[in-house]
Amino acid sequence: MEHLDHALSGLFDGAPLVVALGIALLLGLRHASDPDHLVAVTSLVAAEDGDTRQAARLGAWWGVGHACALIALGIPLIAFRARMPAWLESGAEKAIGAVILVLAARVILRWLRPPAHSHSPRTRRQALSIGLLHGLAGTGAIVVLLIAALPTQLESALALAVFAPMSMVSMTACSAGFAWVLTRPAVEPLYRTVLVPGLGVFGVMFGLWYAGVGI
């Protein structure tokens, strides 16, 4: 996906502003397909038993957190033509790895011992927090692409203003779509017995790798 982002951002060179904003829109709409985003959302949705409406709500909160982080950090970086400190981005990535580990462990625990009641309010806060972390970890690379490809700070800021809400849309759609697929009659029996624990185990492995812990 990084290669796709670089290819799309390369189209910014010499492109009219309208075209550049269209490319930013496409980058935002595909942003939820990043591997760390996919693992986080699948773990989040699996922990909620694949309910489509609840998954869409979680995805929206996840997207809100992500968009807020992009805007809050992206605008100052664009204004000063700066890069986010490497230690901050690295720390955020390790934090995301730890969060994915927690989510994956929660998936496994819920599969082994289904809860008697829902914890949706707490989960919404978790989704918002995960979105904030993802925005923090990804902001540096995204803003550098925008700064490098667009000639002025205003154009970069406008591109970010398009990208951020579109990433929220893509995260909401990704969460809802994943839950919808898992609850189809042909898939649900396999989902309950095989996919949920499989997603949990894969999430643990991915979280360890993303956090930089050798496995």
Side-chain angles (χ1 to χ4, degrees), residues 130-150:
I130 294 167
L132 287 168
L133 276 175
H134 271 123
L136 181 63
T139 298
I142 293 165
V143 173
V144 166
L145 284 173
L146 295 174
I147 289 174
L150 293 174

Side-chain angles (χ1 to χ4, degrees), residues 37 40 44 58-70 96 99 124-139 171:
H37 292 159
L44 204 60
L58 292 178
W61 282 105
W62 178 39
V64 167
H66 188 275
C68 287
L70 284 173
I96 290 171
V99 168
R124 288 196 292 270
R125 290 195 295 271
Q126 289 175 347
L128 180 66
S129 300
I130 294 167
L132 287 168
L133 276 175
H134 271 123
L136 181 63
T139 298
M171 290 172 176

Side-chain angles (χ1 to χ4, degrees), residues 60-202:
W61 282 105
W62 178 39
V64 167
H66 188 275
C68 287
L70 284 173
I71 293 170
L73 291 175
I75 289 178
L77 291 176
I78 289 173
F80 294 104
R81 294 281 177 173
R83 297 190 60 166
M84 194 165 76
W87 64 266
L88 181 57
E89 188 167 359
S90 176
E93 289 178 351
K94 287 181 171 57
I96 290 171
V99 168
I100 290 174
L101 278 171
V102 171
L103 288 173
R106 184 166 173 255
V107 169
I108 296 171
L109 289 175
R110 284 175 67 96
W111 179 71
L112 293 173
R113 187 176 56 189
H117 51 84
S118 174
H119 296 283
S120 295
R122 181 169 63 87
T123 303
R124 288 196 292 270
R125 290 195 295 271
Q126 289 175 347
L128 180 66
S129 300
I130 294 167
L132 287 168
L133 276 175
H134 271 123
L136 181 63
T139 298
I142 293 165
V143 173
V144 166
L145 284 173
L146 295 174
I147 289 174
L150 293 174
T152 69
Q153 294 168 321
L154 176 60
E155 289 177 339
S156 294
L158 289 174
L160 182 62
V162 171
F163 176 89
M166 288 305 100
S167 68
M168 183 171 66
V169 170
S170 69
M171 290 172 176
T172 304
C174 179
S175 303
F178 178 72
W180 184 86
V181 169
L182 292 183
T183 52
R184 295 308 87 201
V187 178
E188 189 168 8
L190 182 65
Y191 163 63
R192 304 293 179 188
T193 57
V194 177
L195 290 180
V196 169
L199 287 170
V201 171
F202 179 77

